Amino acid sequence: LTYKRFVSFSISLGLILVIGAINALFMTPRSEWFAHLTSPVTNEKIHSLLWLMVYVLFAVATAEFLIDNKLRKYLWSVILLAVGNPVWCLIFFRLHSIIGAFCLSILLFADSVFVTVINAKKTKINWLFCLLLSVWYLYISGLNAAILILNL
C-alpha cells in the first residue's frame, strides 16, 4: 500500500462515511408509512452489516478513481452512486415514492455495472469490489421491485 493510495483511501472513506450519515438523515424505516408496506422478509441486522460493507467498497472504488489518471475522467460515475443512495432514501422514505425509488435503483445498478466494466483492466481486487457493488445494486433493485409489486 503506497502513501498515495493510503491518503486517497482515507479521503474516500471519510467522504463516503459523510454520505452514509446524510443517508441516515433521510431514513425513517420505523415510520407508520413504512410499517404498513408489505415487503419481502430480510434480516435487518444482516442488511445493515451489508450496507456497511458496501460503503467500504465505495471507498476502495472511489480511491482508485482518485489516483488513477485514466479512471479520473469517470469519477462522476462513482459520485453518482454515492449521491444516489441518500437520494434514494429521500425518494423512498420521505416522499413515499416506491416507483421513483425503483427507477433510481435501476439507474444505480446500471451505473454500478459501468463502474465495474471500466475497472475490468485495473487491479483484480478493485474489479472484484466493483463487481460486488454491482451484485449489491442488483439485489437492491430486486428488493425494490418486490416492494413495488407487493404494494400495488
Side-chain angles (χ1 to χ4, degrees):
L1 184 67
T2 66
Y3 177 74
K4 188 175 181 181
R5 283 190 188 280
F6 176 76
V7 170
S8 181
F9 176 73
S10 298
I11 291 169
S12 298
L13 185 60
L15 291 173
I16 296 303
L17 290 176
V18 167
I19 290 170
I22 293 169
N23 205 14
L25 293 175
F26 294 123
M27 290 184 66
T28 53
R30 297 193 189 351
S31 71
E32 188 175 320
W33 173 80
F34 186 77
H36 285 89
L37 288 177
T38 304
S39 63
V41 177
T42 57
N43 184 312
E44 285 185 36
K45 290 180 183 178
I46 292 174
H47 195 79
S48 297
L49 179 63
L50 288 173
W51 264 116
L52 178 61
M53 291 170 38
V54 164
Y55 279 111
V56 172
L57 294 174
F58 270 138
V60 172
T62 303
E64 196 67 28
F65 278 75
L66 289 173
I67 62 174
D68 188 307
N69 289 333
K70 291 180 182 177
L71 286 178
R72 197 170 297 133
K73 65 182 172 186
Y74 300 112
L75 186 60
W76 62 266
S77 60
V78 178
I79 292 170
L80 176 61
L81 288 174
V83 171
N85 285 311
V87 172
W88 183 92
C89 285
L90 172 69
I91 292 169
F92 185 82
F93 288 111
R94 298 294 179 155
L95 301 178
H96 304 160
S97 176
I98 301 171
I99 194 156
F102 173 69
C103 292
L104 181 57
S105 72
I106 295 298
L107 173 68
L108 294 174
F109 169 65
D111 186 39
S112 71
V113 170
F114 175 76
V115 167
T116 302
V117 169
I118 62 174
N119 265 285
K121 295 181 181 175
K122 298 298 168 189
T123 62
K124 288 184 181 180
I125 191 73
N126 196 55
W127 176 80
L128 177 63
F129 286 176
C130 291
L131 182 63
L132 290 172
L133 280 175
S134 291
V135 169
W136 175 256
Y137 278 107
L138 178 62
Y139 164 74
I140 290 298
S141 296
L143 186 61
N144 207 148
I147 292 170
L148 178 63
I149 291 166
L150 290 171
N151 292 282
L152 288 177

